[in-house]
Amino acid sequence: MTTTIEVPRIQRFAANTAGRDFAAGDIHGHFSRLQAALEAAGFDPVVDRLFSVGDLIDRGPECRDALDWLAKPWFHPVRGNHDDFVVHFDTCDVFSWICNGGSWFTGLSPPEQQAFALQFAELPIAIEIETPGGLVGIIHADCPVSSWDQLRAELQSPESDKQLRAVLLRCMWSRTRIQAGDTRGVHGLRALVVGHTPLRQPAVLGNVYHVDTAGWLDGYFTLLDLTTLQCIPPIDPEPGFDQA
Ligand SMILES: [Mn+2]
């Protein structure tokens, strides 16, 4: 018997008939920069929605603001590998976490740590959003299978705990697709949006949109409009340097 609260690993959102839907890359404690990108795009919190590939915390100066952002009714992130450290803060590899920007968490009081873990445990692994052009998926790092229906089945009714763990790890950690330049895409989706691997500008491989343009580091935040699949700022067709 487990005391873990079961939350859906995949969440579906109906089409936004009132405003626009956007997706953004990894945040890593840089909510002010993200806010500036939203304002530059004319984001309207009354009708627009922001979906996020996760990694809300670690590395940046505003990690504590993550709970305020999770309370915003228009902000919908999936769970990144860093967010998963928070969920499992009492059992994870703390040394690895601290080496990767997690020291801020050790500065929280035990009740604050619990509050973070409870909130972050509610983050789904995957989100799917209905848009006029078809279904758009959001995952932190990658879709480990070739079809969205198969991923949904793996997340909702896994064959075994071991199989589920393998799928979750690849959803949150994999760089296989971007490193291989794999353009085969994911069947059953109009588009999949992922982050996790910082790039000089967004990369589109098949129907998979890699949108972490290192706004948390030395780059900028990209906002992908989920209806038009256009980026703000737009992708430069001649970037003048190699992204690799
Ligand atoms: Mn990541």
Side-chain angles (χ1 to χ4, degrees):
M1 195 173 136
T2 174
T3 54
T4 306
I5 300 165
E6 291 294 331
V7 293
R9 298 185 191 98
I10 181 165
Q11 282 179 9
R12 190 178 183 107
F13 288 81
N16 185 352
T17 54
R20 296 179 295 172
D21 284 344
F22 295 98
D26 302 28
I27 298 167
H28 286 307
H30 278 286
F31 292 99
S32 296
R33 292 185 192 173
L34 175 61
Q35 181 69 45
L38 290 171
E39 286 168 13
F43 184 87
D44 180 351
V46 176
V47 291
D48 296 341
R49 301 185 294 196
L50 177 65
F51 295 90
S52 151
V53 301
D55 272 4
L56 310 181
I57 42 77
D58 296 350
R59 298 192 171 126
E62 300 161 344
C63 296
R64 286 169 174 263
D65 292 353
L67 293 190
D68 292 337
W69 275 70
L70 288 176
K72 298 179 189 295
W74 45 263
F75 181 62
H76 306 288
V78 295
R79 188 187 304 185
N81 54 309
H82 286 264
D83 309 314
D84 201 49
F85 278 134
V86 171
V87 178
H88 302 289
F89 75 94
D90 47 356
T91 54
C92 72
D93 181 348
V94 172
F95 180 74
S96 169
W97 187 12
I98 287 175
C99 286
N100 284 287
S103 58
W104 67 278
F105 194 83
T106 60
L108 301 179
S109 69
E112 286 174 323
Q113 292 180 340
Q114 285 290 347
F116 264 87
L118 283 173
Q119 287 293 308
F120 276 52
E122 293 188 11
L123 296 179
I125 298 299
I127 283 176
E128 50 189 7
I129 306 131
E130 295 168 7
T131 76
L135 202 60
V136 173
I138 313 264
I139 294 182
H140 179 60
D142 197 10
C143 179
V145 290
S146 61
S147 110
W148 189 252
D149 286 344
Q150 187 185 344
L151 179 75
R152 195 189 290 113
E154 300 261 13
L155 291 176
Q156 288 178 333
S157 42
E159 280 179 22
S160 64
D161 284 352
K162 186 181 172 194
Q163 171 76 4
L164 176 62
R165 269 199 302 279
V167 167
L168 297 184
L169 279 178
R170 289 180 63 189
C171 284
M172 290 187 283
W173 288 88
S174 174
R175 300 188 205 276
T176 306
R177 186 183 307 269
I178 187 74
Q179 285 179 341
D182 182 347
T183 58
R184 288 173 296 177
V186 178
H187 300 295
L189 283 180
R190 179 180 178 222
L192 172 67
V193 187
V194 299
H196 186 56
T197 301
L199 301 169
R200 287 292 163 200
Q201 67 165 355
V204 186
L205 295 176
N207 65 346
V208 182
Y209 288 68
H210 297 258
V211 298
D212 180 9
T213 43
W216 52 274
L217 184 60
D218 57 356
Y220 58 95
F221 276 100
T222 290
L223 297 176
L224 177 68
D225 183 312
L226 299 187
T227 296
T228 64
L229 295 181
Q230 298 297 303
C231 292
I232 304 174
I235 298 175
D236 182 352
E238 295 177 35
F241 51 80
D242 202 342
Q243 276 201 43

